[in-house]
Amino acid sequence: RKEVEQDPGPFNVPEGATVAFNCTYSNSASQSFFWYRQDCRKEPKLLMSVYSSGNEDGRFTAQLNRASQYISLLIRDSKLSDSATYLCVALGTGANNLFFGTGTRLTVIP
Amino acid sequence: DVKVTQSSRYLVKRTGEKVFLECVQDMDHENMFWYRQDPGLGLRLIYFSYDVKMKEKGDIPEGYSVSREKKERFSLILESASTNQTSMYLCASSPRQGAWYGYTFGSGTRLTVV
């Protein structure tokens, strides 16, 4: 079983829509979680960290549910520029195990 | 801004060639990593290093080696390139062990082995 699993999509949504991605992780001892964004043929870039209490950054909201071992990312009022692949990342115990999901591809349609 | 620079954006090599992928970071980061990214498989850790001359195997080290002679430079070596090593290679660095918020990727090297 993969450490981090997410629906690969693609998610095709109209501009202005709200879209949510979920991600599950297998290691209950994972300490920290992140969402990265990766544009086509570019490197991943940190979008936001995921805090236990949930956190918001503009149109983006991240949630963590430790009991069910999943993380979510909600994007409100989708923009064309939100089209990208979103990678879910979990940091397990130990120093080297930063686990990446395979990514969920989002396309926002005019 | 932290910069992680990978020497080549695109590379085409022949089967059996020895291939060097170079990565340089300019922010005095202690940790450096090499990943490969393939469709449907995501990012997989090949090797990492927490200090000069130090290296640790990641999840898929077979067929690869690394070198870290200077703090700012981390090289990935394909001893004898094979077609199944065709992939996008991404280098990353972070300030120190546990400082995951400063994790920064290079722009990647797309390697094709023919």
Side-chain angles (χ1 to χ4, degrees), chain A residues 11 13 18-22 35 61 72-76 104 106:
Chain A
F11 284 62
V13 302
T18 295
V19 61
F21 308 133
N22 285 333
W35 283 101
T61 301
S72 64
L73 177 68
L74 183 79
I75 305 175
R76 290 182 300 279
T104 298
L106 171 68

Side-chain angles (χ1 to χ4, degrees), chain B:
Chain B
D1 272 357
V2 176
K3 247 197 142 171
V4 178
T5 304
Q6 293 184 231
S7 54
S8 304
R9 196 66 199 270
Y10 298 95
L11 271 181
V12 180
K13 296 291 181 181
R14 294 195 180 277
T15 301
E17 272 194 80
K18 191 168 186 176
V19 181
F20 292 87
L21 302 183
E22 304 288 347
C23 175
V24 177
Q25 49 92 5
D26 66 0
M27 282 298 288
D28 202 35
H29 281 183
E30 291 180 6
N31 305 337
M32 297 188 76
F33 309 83
W34 274 106
Y35 289 86
R36 64 178 282 178
Q37 186 175 29
D38 301 287
L41 296 175
L43 278 135
R44 293 180 291 167
L45 182 64
I46 304 171
Y47 266 98
F48 61 100
S49 169
Y50 289 145
D51 202 353
V52 175
K53 296 194 187 294
M54 177 271 179
K55 59 185 178 186
E56 291 282 348
K57 292 180 180 178
D59 300 320
I60 51 162
E62 297 78 20
Y64 304 94
S65 62
V66 289
S67 172
R68 194 161 181 205
E69 296 296 317
K70 293 185 178 181
K71 191 174 186 179
E72 66 271 19
R73 186 180 297 270
F74 192 36
S75 304
L76 180 70
I77 304 152
L78 285 67
E79 297 291 341
S80 176
S82 63
T83 54
N84 63 12
Q85 292 179 310
T86 291
S87 186
M88 168 70 97
Y89 289 87
L90 287 155
C91 176
S93 73
S94 71
R96 60 192 176 282
Q97 213 158 303
W100 303 104
Y101 297 94
Y103 208 83
T104 303
F105 284 91
S107 55
T109 296
R110 190 167 290 277
L111 173 67
T112 302
V113 182
V114 298

